[in-house]
Structures are given as structure tokens and as C-alpha cells.
Amino acid sequence: MTVAAASRTSAWRVVEYHAVNARRYLTSVIVLSVLTPLVYLLALGVGLGTLVNRHGTGTLGAPYLAFVAPGLLAAAAMQTAATHAANLVMGGFKWIRVFYGMSATPLTSRQICDGTLGFIALRLVGDAALYLAIMSSFGAARRWEIVFAVPAAVGAAMAFAAPVAAIVASMQSERNLFNVLFRFVVTPMFLFSGTFYPVSRLPEWGRWLAAASPLWHGTELARAAALGGASSASVLGHVGYLLAWLAVGVPLARWRFRVRAYR
Amino acid sequence: MVAPEQEPAAAAPVLIAARGLTKRFGDLVAVAGIDFEVRRGEAFGFLGPNGAGKSSTMRMIGCVAPATSGELRILGLDPQRYGPRIRARLGVVPQQDTLDLELTVRENLYIYGRYFGLPREGLRAKVDELLRFAQLSDRANAKVEPLSGGMKRRLTIARSLVNDPEILLLDEPTTGLDPQARHVLWDRLYRLKQSGVTLVLTTHYMDEAEQLCDRLVVMDGGRIVAEGAPAALIAEHSTREVAELRFEPGGSAGAVERLAGVLSGAGERVEVLPDRVLLYVEDGEGAVVSALDAGLRPLSTLVRRSTLEDVFLRLTGRSLVD
Ligand SMILES: Nc1ncnc2c1ncn2[C@@H]1O[C@H](COP(=O)(O)OP(=O)(O)OP(=O)(O)O)[C@@H](O)[C@H]1O
Ligand SMILES: [Mg+2]
């Protein structure tokens, strides 16, 4: 009976743990997931957008709200993914040590890693779907293909979250790491990823930064889904770039989890 | 006094076998090539001071730390290849609790059972049973964080039983428990053993080792320095009785010379600690009288039977609990 149990366990059990754990914050999670898009869409799309539209834009001929909304969707996913990857992994190995409890069971370090990343991805899908619903209530959803903005945003966010998880799993202390990560990586990525304006407005070096950032690729994909007009070559290029990040980041994270959990 | 070899245990199959088992952390050798076997139904102990390598050994048996070298088989399987399959059949009480303090008592048990792939329906009944086992039924829906150290320990032990393990690994199970809670736990462990669970435990409590273990090894500095049943170890490495003479701190100096004539039989000896002199003899009362005759003036005297503590002192030259 117990031998069969080993085969019945899976990374889903780790997802279940994170879900049970998140249940405690359910109210604040929902409030945040609703308030964030509301505030951003109101402030940037409706408020700033009125100004931008009046002065004419290079925003693909669309009203500013329709332009900025998919960018905000991708940026919000990125922010949530990075925060969760950092906190859940540091919590699991250091603050609460639950990952050590898990590693004494039939769960493998790989399942612990996959389940943690999987939980983040599921959380992002929920957030993004909510975001989309709120966007359409603002009239910022112009065609049904906008639903593809969800996998675009979540894919880009996870492409970044996986290496974050790998780095955090390698750190004994979080103090400097979290500062550096958010101040020098996550926030600048926001500014150089075409969230608020097309990267063609940036100087050459800025465009290179954007091209390197997974968020820009996710933003382009989300925007293409929302507004249309993207060539299949550019879509394939963005998807390929994000898949490459995942193909490196996820094995990296699994490896660091194994080293940390079994020594 | 020598306990007979445990017949049923000796005939039972070997569940854990280690040969030349070694664990290094960089230059530090935590476990220095040890050999041991644990048979089904036994209660097997690792006894030793801080840093002896007990936890490192337990973690290798628990398949959460790879051995640096040597051979280890658990339930006939190689932990390197079959870690998850082995862990599915183990219960683990680590030295340091890994409870989720933010979750409730019940949630901790439930989610841990889920890690083993146990189905939801059966698990609920199991959790209730474990809550009673840990005497925490009335705290089931309280968070773990504010529980006392002893309650958390009981919860960790209850949690380790969620998968009905064949082997239970207990790393200092009763450290931090009050005497009454320790006795309750010993009773529980004894009953588990009666029901066929193999117990492997570490401790630095002599009475715990004597009470619980059929067989134990004494570890020191990563090595096994002695092995056997508690009574056999005492018979082999110590005398029948011990006379303890207590002095003011530092007052025991010079006692050895005066006591030279007190010792008579083979194996009798003197051990001088800063505040105590221990006379290992066949006749304790007689030794006390002789010591007083020899001019020693201890604050108090005590005659007792030898314990594992004395075995440890004899084997390592150090006191186990200081
Ligand atoms: N993860 C680790 N990294 C480096 N050194 C370690 C690690 N774990 C244990 N050690 C070292 O290995 C040695 C044995 O430690 P271990 O925890 O096995 O001893 P122990 O017998 O369980 O002691 P205690 O009674 O204090 O729990 C110690 O010197 C310890 O510092
Ligand atoms: Mg230890």
C-alpha cells in the first residue's frame, strides 16, 4: 500500500500545499488582484490616456488605453511572479523550512520545484484572467484573440521566475539579494520593456535592453494578441525566446533545489 | 546480568545495512566509515555526544543526504536510486521540527499525508487518529506557532506516522519534553514497536536508551566505539556498582593516590571528575567505607548500579551530558 503511495504522489501535492497556505491570505489576494488592474487601468489608461490621445501618439493608431492595457497585464504578471518566486523559495528553504519536511517524504526535489513554479503559474493565470475581465469592462478588449495575452503574459513571467527561483534557492540569506533583484532588475525591466510606450522611442542601448528582457517579448506578444497586426515571424521569434529562457531556467531551478534539499 | 541475545530480532530480516558508511562536509568527517545492521522489529539506538555524527547518519538513512562513500541499503534498496520509494515507507522525526507554523495543527497533518499521495477520504480519519495520539485534538484548528515546544514535538512525531511507516527514524525525539511527556512518549513508542514498527533513534539520554533500545551503538567523533544490548554493554564495559563521592568543585584533587588501596578486584578503577570521584567496584558500600578509612572527606556519597553513562565515560574518557 505504501509503495503504491510513492507512485501516487506528484508535484500536484506541492501545488496543493501552496494553495492551502495561500488560503490564509485569500481576502487580500483577491482584493489585490482586483485593485491592481483597476488602479493602473484608471490612472494610466483613462487618466494619462486622455492626455496622450489628445496630443497624438505613435501607439499603433490605437487609443492609449487599448495600447497600455496588455502591457500592464504582462508587467503585473512579471511583478507577481518575481515576488512569489523569491518569497516562496526563501520561505520554503529558510523561513518556514517546509521544503525540508517535504523532502523527507516520497516527493523529490524536482517535484518540489515544479510544484512551486506550477503554483505560481496557476496563480498568474487566475490574476491574468481577472485582469482581462476588468480590461474588457473598460472597453479595452477589442477582439476575442486578446485571450492569448494570458499565456503570453504568464509565459514571460515564468521565464523570469524560474531563474529567480534558482538564484534564491542558492542563497543562504535574503537581505541584499532581494534589494538587488527588485531595485536593479525587476523595476528597470518594467521601464525598458515597452509597457508604457513602444521601445522604438528608446535610444539604441535601451532597445537592446528591451530585446534581452523576457518582459518585452511577453509584452509584444500580449499586445499582438490584443491589437493584431503582428507578423507570424515576429510572434515565433518572441515565443522562441521565452521558451529558451524556460528551457534554461527550469532545469537550473530544479538543480539548485536538489543541491539545497539533499546535502 | 548479561541479557540473552534477542532471539526473534536476530532471526528477523535486515532492514538497514551499512558498511563503511561515510559522510564528509568539505574537510570535516562527520561519519567516519561505520558498519551496522538493523533488523525488522528492533529498537535500535545511536547514542553519543554533540557532534558525534548521529544526525548525519540518520539523514543518510532517511534518504535526505547522500553518503560520501560506503554502502547503505534500506529495505534492501539503494537510497541513491530509490530514495522516493524508500521514503514512502519511512517515518521521520528530524532533530529540528519542519512544521509549518502558519498552518493549523490539523492542516499540518493533512498536507503531510497528501505528500505521500494518500487519498483525501482515508486521510481525514487518519488525521483525527493522529490528533488523539498527539493529545492535540482540542488544538486541532489552532495555529502551530503558539504551541509549546513539547506540543510541537508531539505533533512532529504524530505527523511521522501518517503513512503507517515500517521504519520510524527518531532524531532526539524527547529533547525539550518534560519528564511526564517523555514517559508518555516512551510508552507510545513501545506500543508502536509491539505492533511491528522498527524504531531507529538517537539520544543523549541514558535512561531513554536503556528503556527503549534492544540494541545500540555508542558513537563518538563519527565512529562507533561500542555496540550491543544496553545491559550487555554495561556488563562488558563497567562494574556492577558505582560509588560516587561528591566534593566541592576542585576538591577531588589528590584522591587517586589515596584510593590506590581501595580497589581490589579485576576491572575495578577510579574515575576523577572535577567535583566527583567515581569508584567502579563490585561492592559499592565496601568501597565507600574503605575510602573514608583512607582519609577522604567527601560532602556526600552515593552507591548505584552502573549505567550507560558509565560505559560512555569508560569508552571515551568524557562525560556524555555535562
Ligand atoms: N550541513 C552541514 N554542513 C557542514 N557540517 C555539518 C553539517 N551537518 C553536520 N555537520 C557537522 O558534522 C558533525 C556531526 O554533526 P551531527 O549533526 O551529525 O552530530 P550529532 O551527533 O547529531 O550531534 P547533536 O547531538 O548535537 O545533534 C558536526 O561537526 C557538524 O558540525
Ligand atoms: Mg543531531
Side-chain angles (χ1 to χ4, degrees):
Chain A
M1 170 229 140
T2 37
V3 179
S7 58
R8 266 189 275 118
T9 197
S10 72
W12 286 108
R13 302 286 86 84
V14 180
V15 173
E16 190 178 343
Y17 160 74
H18 287 298
V20 167
N21 195 40
R23 212 160 52 190
R24 295 180 293 121
Y25 310 109
L26 200 58
T27 323
S28 62
V29 164
I30 291 175
V31 168
L32 266 181
S33 300
V34 174
L35 271 186
T36 314
L38 267 182
V39 169
Y40 272 86
L41 287 171
L42 274 176
L44 285 165
V46 183
L48 185 65
T50 323
L51 275 173
V52 176
N53 290 337
R54 203 177 297 152
H55 291 86
T57 62
T59 51
L60 306 169
Y64 188 65
L65 179 60
F67 171 84
V68 82
L72 288 175
L73 171 65
M78 173 73 56
Q79 187 86 26
T80 308
T83 311
H84 276 60
N87 287 329
L88 293 183
V89 175
M90 194 50 89
F93 280 121
K94 186 176 174 196
W95 300 328
I96 325 182
R97 297 170 47 80
V98 277
F99 290 171
Y100 291 108
M102 290 178 184
S103 59
T105 73
L107 286 168
T108 61
S109 58
R110 177 176 170 157
Q111 288 168 331
I112 299 171
C113 177
D114 291 359
T116 301
L117 291 176
F119 169 76
I120 297 173
L122 286 176
R123 163 83 205 271
L124 293 180
V125 169
D127 276 4
L130 205 55
Y131 214 124
L132 216 55
I134 294 170
M135 261 169 76
S136 46
S137 76
F138 275 83
R142 296 149 62 92
R143 48 189 226 133
W144 71 267
E145 289 91 337
I146 197 170
V147 295
F148 290 114
V150 174
V154 173
M158 292 312 297
F160 184 67
V164 168
I167 293 168
V168 174
S170 313
M171 307 295 293
Q172 297 305 321
S173 155
E174 65 278 11
R175 231 171 293 147
N176 296 323
L177 171 79
F178 281 24
N179 275 339
V180 169
L181 184 66
F182 285 93
R183 229 172 267 174
F184 298 109
V185 182
V186 178
T187 309
M189 195 156 62
F190 238 124
L191 303 175
F192 289 99
S193 294
T195 308
F196 306 110
Y197 46 85
V199 293
S200 56
R201 299 285 175 83
L202 290 171
E204 170 114 21
W205 60 267
R207 287 200 293 273
W208 280 107
L209 275 182
S213 143
L215 179 54
W216 176 66
H217 297 272
T219 304
E220 287 297 293
L221 285 171
R223 197 160 279 150
L227 306 175
S231 71
S232 35
S234 74
V235 168
L236 279 180
H238 294 309
V239 170
Y241 185 77
L242 294 179
L243 286 179
W245 269 67
L246 284 168
V248 175
V250 172
L252 207 61
R254 287 173 178 166
W255 170 52
R256 294 319 301 174
F257 268 60
R258 179 159 49 80
V259 170
R260 185 79 180 259
Y262 301 105
R263 65 207 149 91
Chain B
M1 283 312 294
V2 182
E5 266 298 305
Q6 293 268 325
E7 278 305 337
V14 173
L15 290 195
I16 307 172
R19 225 173 330 128
L21 187 63
T22 302
K23 182 71 184 179
R24 285 202 195 87
F25 297 102
D27 287 341
L28 188 136
V29 183
V31 180
I34 61 173
D35 302 346
F36 61 89
E37 281 186 351
V38 180
R39 290 173 184 275
R40 184 178 293 282
E42 257 192 312
F44 185 86
F46 291 94
L47 185 63
N50 293 138
K54 304 183 297 292
S55 295
S56 301
T57 305
M58 291 293 262
R59 287 169 47 77
M60 288 189 279
I61 301 173
C63 309
V64 293
T68 312
S69 63
E71 202 180 306
L72 182 62
R73 288 287 175 280
I74 300 141
L75 298 159
L77 300 171
D78 176 2
Q80 204 73 344
R81 281 192 63 193
Y82 297 104
R85 268 174 71 177
I86 298 168
R87 293 197 299 267
R89 298 162 68 184
L90 301 181
V92 177
V93 176
Q95 184 167 357
Q96 195 184 349
D97 288 330
T98 55
L99 298 167
D100 193 323
L101 303 179
E102 302 283 330
L103 298 186
T104 67
V105 171
R106 183 189 298 280
E107 283 169 335
N108 264 279
L109 293 171
Y110 176 80
I111 200 70
Y112 201 76
R114 295 292 287 157
Y115 299 159
F116 284 86
L118 301 179
R120 288 194 170 82
E121 311 77 53
L123 190 51
R124 288 191 216 290
K126 185 77 191 174
V127 166
D128 286 331
E129 179 194 324
L130 292 174
L131 284 169
R132 284 192 297 276
F133 175 90
Q135 296 172 299
L136 287 170
S137 299
D138 54 331
R139 304 293 289 265
N141 298 316
K143 274 195 186 188
V144 170
E145 173 127 57
L147 296 187
S148 77
M151 288 171 168
K152 285 184 184 133
R153 205 64 187 147
R154 295 206 307 260
L155 178 57
T156 296
I157 293 164
R159 192 181 71 161
S160 73
L161 298 172
V162 76
N163 59 326
D164 295 317
E166 290 167 61
I167 305 176
L168 189 55
L169 304 176
L170 303 131
D171 197 349
E172 299 192 16
T174 62
T175 299
L177 297 191
D178 64 37
Q180 197 207 340
R182 285 176 73 204
H183 283 279
V184 170
L185 185 67
W186 290 354
D187 179 57
R188 295 278 148 92
L189 293 178
Y190 186 75
R191 274 194 268 161
L192 280 171
K193 181 169 136 33
Q194 293 303 99
S195 70
V197 179
T198 305
L199 304 180
V200 179
L201 60 112
T202 77
T203 182
H204 24 216
Y205 296 122
M206 296 306 122
D207 47 350
E208 187 158 296
E210 290 191 42
Q211 285 268 341
L212 287 177
C213 298
D214 299 319
R215 221 152 51 79
L216 55 87
V217 293
V218 179
M219 282 188 85
D220 188 34
R223 296 180 186 284
I224 291 177
V225 294
E227 173 179 357
L233 281 171
I234 293 166
E236 185 180 344
H237 298 284
S238 195
T239 49
R240 205 168 69 90
E241 293 192 333
V242 187
E244 286 199 19
L245 314 180
R246 292 195 166 271
F247 294 90
E248 311 215 339
S252 59
V256 182
E257 297 80 55
R258 290 179 185 235
L259 286 168
V262 175
L263 305 179
S264 54
E268 296 197 337
R269 63 198 173 83
V270 186
E271 198 75 59
V272 181
L273 305 177
D275 61 338
R276 271 183 304 165
V277 172
L278 305 179
L279 299 169
Y280 290 95
V281 290
E282 284 306 302
D283 173 13
E285 291 296 344
V288 169
V289 172
S290 313
L292 296 179
D293 287 348
L296 284 178
R297 292 289 168 265
L299 296 175
S300 66
T301 64
L302 166 77
V303 175
R304 59 172 175 80
R305 290 190 171 279
S306 276
T307 67
L308 285 173
E309 172 86 53
D310 302 300
V311 172
F312 190 81
L313 189 62
R314 172 70 174 151
L315 290 171
T316 68
R318 282 183 290 118
S319 169
L320 194 52
V321 190
D322 17 34

